[in-house]
């Protein structure tokens, strides 16, 4: 060994000791994050990871939880169940986290559930699938709104307008098929009659055949269930064909991007949405307004982009964990017990009240009805 | 049997390393990763039989893997079949499918064969996604039971590690035997020239279909092992990306060598885990490493290691000579 390399080694060892000493001074509370940061579901994972890190930094800047810092250990699942399982195992066995935020997709979440259930680590998923919390699993919670809440909101709005005959137009992927199932199963309860039930492919570029068929039928309104860009094409096609029926979209397109894609054809379209999009428009009495405004403002400041629903799911998950740790301490069992006792927490996705029988915690009031007016959102009262 | 003493010793050393590895990693998350390394090795061995020896490319092997997993998963989770019986029936069913599509597909060569297998892979992937009532669609199939032997349930990473690696070790041994037999020589003959092989009396079309079927059956077994260790499956794990990943494992490891697939599978499964330190840049480093390996070790890791060791040996020998002279 040369003198130089000895010096370097000594300095490195010194730094190592110093860093461990610093760690010992205030052991942080470690929470894990599983997000699909790359891959086909990166549009979910990226804002979620950004938001989770942002919220953790803010909590720490404000003095941490009970004087202790919070640390987020986040891994990329790439939207692949195998990678999600490996990452979850690593979080639990290597990083010894006390709770997990995520995963981003229903598939990843279902894959990880057996692991967290066995290891008894509470997990707050950011995915929407109904299967995640029905039936209830003791250690698994979620923050994304169930699809059927959006369906209920739409049907309620239709019923108030005395519209009874509806036409469905759903995309043939997991989002569309789940929506179609819920639309059909809830129709009877709200006195709806489904007069036509058509689907389109996720990559289709022209939906005039389906719309022509619907126009010739007896429907009083069209409900379209899909994610961008399909519904925007449907809006454009409907305008070209001169279809005068009211058009309802799902919460799958509740972003400014939809208005951009559909252009003038978006005018007068109704859709259920979480409150993030319309944080400014909400009345002062709205209990979520404070959370929403701070989330939107902070996200804009840190990432120069609009905060969306997906980021909101992660915001809710971290804040729910924070609340649970504040009330009951930082052991996994205590966090789980306190999560279950969360009542009336006003977050981004809605007002959460978990119970031993309900680990998704939201009602249809998590959604508001919006109408597109002058290329912007307007609240429907 | 393998007659060569040298390779028997290698196999014995390797098996004992597999046997003892849990002493080092037991309880940690690496144990979990090593289960997947075993499954990936099994798949790479299967693909190597087809690609490395017979020289027939397949871009659809994830489909056989997925079919094995889904048949096993649906049979046990939905219809309550015993996992072992499900593994065998899945293997038989996948074998039949491979045998049936093998005849028309393997008439094709080169790019056309690649396209046909790619097409098959995509069709199967779409079926997994669209038959929601059977497979659970894109959000997956859960509630698949673990393997068990009269009450002893394979429910931990350690138990599954031994189960998966036992199957993998036996498969490596059998495939080593196969490629060193008359059939193995016939396969290599097909690889270098189909016409010459036919002239020498090899039934080329039948043999190609047979090795394709064997490869598919091994992949199906890997799929069943995967389904019953994960207890959950979703289509995303069996897409085109995974077929390419398998192909990369075999090529990076070393085509047409017994331990090549093993090296490839170990590297491609463990590398992303060890690159997590690079955070958002891990994919770039990963890609860069793969490019460097293919550039500087075109014969794969196995031959690359061989070149390095023989270089070191010759260098060492010349040093010794120099020292003796000096």
């Amino acid at each position: 060994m040369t003198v130089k390399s000895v010096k370097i080694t000594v300095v490195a060892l010194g730094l190592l000791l110093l860093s461990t000493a610093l760690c010992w001074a205030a052991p942080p509370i470690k929470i894990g994050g599983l997000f699909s940061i790359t891959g086909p579901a990166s549009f979910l994972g990226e804002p979620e990871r950004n938001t989770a890190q942002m919220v953790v930094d803010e909590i720490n800047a404000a003095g941490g939880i009970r004087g202790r810092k919070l640390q987020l250990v986040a891994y990329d699942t790439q939207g692949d169940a195998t990678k999600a399982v490996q990452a979850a195992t690593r979080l639990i066995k290597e990083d010894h986290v006390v709770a997990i935020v995520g995963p981003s997709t229903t598939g990843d979440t279902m894959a990880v559930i057996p692991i967290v259930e066995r290891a008894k680590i509470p997990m707050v998923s950011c995915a929407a699938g109904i299967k995640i919390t029905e039936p209830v699993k003791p250690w698994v919670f979620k923050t994304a709104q169930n699809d059927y809440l959006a369906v209920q909101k739409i049907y309620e709005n239709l019923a108030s307008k005395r519209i009874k005959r509806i036409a469905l137009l759903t995309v043939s992927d997991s989002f569309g098929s789940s929506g179609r199932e819920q639309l059909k199963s809830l129709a009877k309860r709200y006195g709806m009659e489904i007069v036509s039930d058509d689907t389109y492919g996720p990559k289709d570029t022209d939906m005039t055949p389906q719309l022509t068929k619907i126009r010739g039928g007896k429907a009083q309104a069209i409900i379209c269930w899909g994610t961008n860009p399909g519904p925007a094409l449907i809006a454009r096609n409907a305008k070209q064909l001169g279809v005068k029926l009211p058009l309802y979209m799902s919460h799958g397109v509740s972003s400014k991007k939809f208005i951009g894609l559909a252009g003038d054809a978006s005018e007068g379209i109704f859709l259920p949405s979480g409150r993030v999009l319309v944080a400014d428009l909400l009345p002062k009495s709205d209990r979520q307004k404070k959370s929403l405004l701070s989330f939107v403002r902070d996200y804009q400041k840190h990432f120069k982009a609009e905060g969306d629903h997906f980021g909101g799911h992660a915001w809710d998950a971290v804040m729910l964990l924070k609340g649970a740790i504040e009330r009951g301490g930082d052991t996994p069992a205590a966090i789980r017990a306190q999560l279950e006792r969360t009542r009336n927490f006003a977050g981004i996705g809605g007002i959460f009240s978990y119970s031993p029988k309900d680990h998704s915690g939201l009602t249809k009031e998590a959604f508001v009805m919006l109408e597109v007016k002058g290329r912007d959102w307007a609240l429907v009262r | 049997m393998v007659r060569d003493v040298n390779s028997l010793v290698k196999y014995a050393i390797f098996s004992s390393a597999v046997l003892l590895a849990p002493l080092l990693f037991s309880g940690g998350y690496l144990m979990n990763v090593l289960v997947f390394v075993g499954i990936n090795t099994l798949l790479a061995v299967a693909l190597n039989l087809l690609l490395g020896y017979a020289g027939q490319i397949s871009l659809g092997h994830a489909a056989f893997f997925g079919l094995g997993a889904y048949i096993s998963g649906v049979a046990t989770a939905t219809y309550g079949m015993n996992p072992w019986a499900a593994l065998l029936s899945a293997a038989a069913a996948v074998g039949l499918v491979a045998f049936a599509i093998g005849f028309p597909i393997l008439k094709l060569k080169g790019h056309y064969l690649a396209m046909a297998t790619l097409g098959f892979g995509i069709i199967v992937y779409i079926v997994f996604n669209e038959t929601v009532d059977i497979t659970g669609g894109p959000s997956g199939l859960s509630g698949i039971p673990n393997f068990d032997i009269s009450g002893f349930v394979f429910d931990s990473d350690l138990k599954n590690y031994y189960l998966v690696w036992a199957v993998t070790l036996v498969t490596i041994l059998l495939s080593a035997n196969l490629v060193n037999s008359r059939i193995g020589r016939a396969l290599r003959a097909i690889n270098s020239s189909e016409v010459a092989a036919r002239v020498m009396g090899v039934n080329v079309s039948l043999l190609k279909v047979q090795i394709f079927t064997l490869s598919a059956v091994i992949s199906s077994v890997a799929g069943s092992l995967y389904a019953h260790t994960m207890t959950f499956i979703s289509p995303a794990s069996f897409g085109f990306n995974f077929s390419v990943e398998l192909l990369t494992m075999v090529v990076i490891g070393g085509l047409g060598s017994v331990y090549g697939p093993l090296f490839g599978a170990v590297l491609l499964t463990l590398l992303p885990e060890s690159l997590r330190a690079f955070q958002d840049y891990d994919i770039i480093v990963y890609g860069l490493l793969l490019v460097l390996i293919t550039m500087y070790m075109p014969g794969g890791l196995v031959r690359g290691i061989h070149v390095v060791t023989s270089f070191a040996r010759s260098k060492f020998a010349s040093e010794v000579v120099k020292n003796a002279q000096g």
Side-chain angles (χ1 to χ4, degrees):
Chain A
M1 247 184 180
T2 60
V3 179
K4 198 177 172 191
S5 64
V6 170
K7 268 187 191 164
I8 292 174
T9 320
V10 169
V11 170
L13 273 174
L15 281 175
L16 197 72
L17 280 173
L18 192 67
S19 63
T20 45
L22 283 176
C23 288
W24 277 108
I29 302 170
K30 274 191 184 179
I31 58 171
L34 296 170
F35 304 114
S36 55
I37 302 165
T38 59
S42 59
F43 71 100
L44 300 170
E46 221 228 322
E48 284 169 3
R49 194 266 317 258
N50 288 350
T51 308
Q53 190 60 57
M54 179 183 88
V55 178
V56 166
D57 290 345
E58 277 170 6
I59 291 172
N60 287 338
I65 302 176
R66 291 175 160 191
R68 286 174 67 192
K69 298 267 181 228
L70 202 58
Q71 185 191 343
L72 177 74
V73 187
Y75 293 131
D76 182 9
T77 67
Q78 298 175 22
D80 175 357
T82 318
K83 303 228 162 58
V85 163
Q86 288 173 4
T89 315
R90 183 165 189 174
L91 283 176
I92 293 167
K93 293 196 169 157
E94 186 111 323
D95 301 312
H96 302 288
V97 298
V98 294
I100 293 175
V101 174
S104 313
T105 67
T106 304
D108 287 357
T109 306
M110 296 307 290
V112 170
I113 283 174
I115 293 171
V116 296
E117 284 289 311
R118 208 182 304 144
K120 302 200 188 313
I121 297 291
M123 175 169 87
V124 187
S125 171
C126 298
I130 293 164
K131 289 195 285 183
I132 296 170
T133 49
E134 287 178 22
V136 170
K137 290 114 193 138
W139 298 86
V140 182
F141 299 80
K142 78 184 183 75
T143 55
Q145 302 99 334
N146 281 326
D147 290 341
Y148 62 75
L149 301 177
V151 173
Q152 288 177 353
K153 200 77 193 174
I154 292 178
Y155 280 168
E156 201 181 64
N157 185 275
L158 287 170
S160 74
K161 292 179 183 163
R162 302 187 189 288
I163 290 175
K164 285 201 158 43
R165 295 189 306 275
I166 51 173
L168 305 187
L169 186 49
T170 56
V171 64
S172 59
D173 64 12
S174 68
F175 182 71
S177 60
S178 158
R180 180 162 166 252
E181 208 174 289
Q182 302 300 330
L183 283 163
K184 280 160 92 171
S185 74
L186 287 167
K188 201 171 243 172
R189 207 205 296 172
Y190 287 85
M192 295 293 154
E193 186 197 344
I194 296 170
V195 292
S196 73
D197 174 13
D198 294 281
T199 60
Y200 65 92
K203 294 197 175 96
D204 289 0
T205 51
D206 179 37
M207 287 70 152
T208 37
Q210 290 97 325
L211 287 166
T212 313
K213 188 185 149 205
I214 291 169
R215 186 175 58 173
K218 285 194 176 138
Q220 295 168 300
I222 306 171
I223 302 176
C224 164
W225 211 269
T227 47
N228 285 325
L233 294 169
I234 289 172
R236 280 173 178 268
N237 288 159
K239 192 175 157 85
Q240 283 154 10
L241 288 173
V243 177
K244 291 277 176 285
L245 303 172
L247 187 52
Y248 283 76
M249 293 289 169
S250 71
H251 55 304
V253 294
S254 66
S255 71
K256 268 278 163 61
K257 196 176 165 203
F258 170 70
I259 299 184
L261 286 169
D264 288 335
S266 63
E267 192 68 19
I269 284 174
F270 294 96
L271 60 101
S273 162
R275 287 173 165 76
V276 176
L277 294 183
V278 289
D280 304 332
L281 305 180
L282 293 169
K284 278 223 175 71
S285 59
D286 194 290
R287 288 159 59 202
Q288 285 173 249
K289 186 156 183 164
K290 200 173 137 235
S291 302
L292 286 166
L293 285 177
S294 88
F295 166 61
V296 170
R297 196 182 51 233
D298 293 347
Y299 201 90
Q300 186 72 41
K301 194 173 86 191
H302 283 95
F303 304 108
K304 310 277 174 277
E306 265 184 60
D308 56 11
H309 303 294
F310 311 127
H313 299 328
W315 195 97
D316 290 340
V318 177
M319 291 305 274
L320 283 163
L321 285 177
K322 175 184 174 243
I325 296 171
E326 267 170 0
R327 292 195 300 272
D330 66 345
T331 65
I335 295 174
R336 192 210 81 83
Q338 289 301 331
L339 271 177
E340 208 164 64
R341 281 188 210 126
T342 304
R343 297 280 183 281
N344 296 317
F345 166 75
I348 305 301
I351 294 175
F352 292 86
S353 289
Y354 290 134
S355 75
K357 278 187 192 143
D358 180 12
H359 281 194
S360 70
L362 293 173
T363 64
K364 66 175 187 299
E365 302 315 320
F367 286 106
V368 286
M369 272 318 266
L370 301 183
E371 187 183 354
V372 184
K373 274 188 187 162
R375 294 219 174 185
D376 205 352
W377 309 110
L379 272 173
V380 177
R381 280 162 223 277
Chain B
M1 232 5 256
V2 178
R3 293 183 193 101
D4 180 5
V5 178
N6 200 357
S7 57
L8 260 184
V9 170
K10 261 191 211 164
Y11 184 76
I13 293 174
F14 172 58
S15 318
S16 23
V18 168
L19 197 70
L20 297 175
L23 290 179
L24 279 177
F25 306 117
S26 181
Y29 92 100
L30 262 179
M31 210 62 235
N32 179 269
V33 178
L34 286 176
V35 175
F36 293 108
V37 172
I39 290 171
N40 285 343
T41 305
L42 195 55
L43 287 165
V45 168
L47 187 57
N48 189 37
L49 282 176
L50 185 69
L51 180 64
Y53 291 101
Q56 308 298 309
I57 197 167
S58 166
L59 283 175
H61 252 53
F64 296 122
F65 177 51
L67 280 172
Y70 266 101
I71 295 174
S72 239
V74 172
T76 51
T78 316
Y79 298 103
M81 200 190 237
N82 179 290
W84 300 104
L87 180 141
L88 292 178
S89 2
V94 170
L96 277 177
V97 171
F99 195 73
I101 67 163
F103 280 101
I105 278 191
L106 290 164
K107 283 210 172 78
L108 305 168
K109 288 185 180 63
H111 302 315
Y112 299 99
L113 179 62
M115 290 309 285
T117 50
L118 171 69
F120 172 71
I122 290 176
I123 291 169
V124 171
Y125 178 69
I126 292 174
V127 169
F128 290 156
N129 272 299
E130 295 295 320
T131 51
V132 179
D133 297 338
I134 305 167
T135 62
S139 50
L141 181 73
S142 52
I144 303 170
N146 287 115
F147 284 110
D148 70 298
I149 301 174
S150 59
F152 180 83
V153 186
F154 289 85
D155 57 357
S156 72
D157 288 338
L158 187 67
K159 291 172 191 168
N160 280 316
Y161 170 87
Y162 280 115
L163 176 68
V164 166
W165 277 100
V167 177
T168 307
L169 284 175
V170 170
T171 312
I172 289 179
L173 188 65
L174 292 180
S175 75
N177 271 323
L178 182 75
V179 297
N180 286 321
S181 68
R182 201 184 65 80
I183 297 172
R185 288 189 292 278
L187 287 174
R188 269 176 292 220
I190 294 175
N191 193 354
S192 26
S193 163
E194 285 195 21
V195 178
R198 197 170 288 125
V199 171
M200 299 305 286
V202 175
N203 187 343
V204 172
S205 57
L206 182 67
L207 193 58
K208 279 203 292 188
V209 175
Q210 282 171 333
I211 199 74
F212 184 69
T213 309
L214 177 66
S215 180
V217 167
I218 299 174
S219 305
S220 161
V221 170
S224 298
L225 287 171
Y226 174 86
H228 294 292
T229 51
M230 281 275 285
T231 70
F232 170 86
I233 46 177
S234 69
S237 318
F238 312 110
F240 173 62
N241 279 348
F242 192 67
S243 285
V244 174
E245 207 175 317
L246 279 179
L247 201 68
T248 320
M249 282 177 202
V250 179
V251 173
I252 290 280
L255 282 170
S257 72
V258 175
Y259 292 98
L262 171 82
F263 281 106
V266 170
L267 185 80
L268 261 79
T269 322
L270 289 183
L271 198 58
E273 293 295 319
S274 47
L275 291 181
R276 291 223 200 253
F278 291 96
Q279 295 194 347
D280 284 1
Y281 303 100
D282 59 345
I283 292 180
I284 298 173
V285 180
Y286 179 73
L288 201 66
L289 280 174
L290 292 192
V291 171
L292 289 178
I293 291 172
T294 30
M295 276 174 72
Y296 293 104
M297 297 181 180
L301 280 178
V302 168
R303 277 180 209 119
I305 290 166
H306 188 71
V307 169
V308 171
T309 49
S310 55
F311 176 76
R313 219 176 268 162
S314 66
K315 182 114 190 193
F316 180 70
S318 64
E319 290 273 297
V320 171
V321 172
K322 238 188 248 164
N323 286 348
Q325 282 167 345

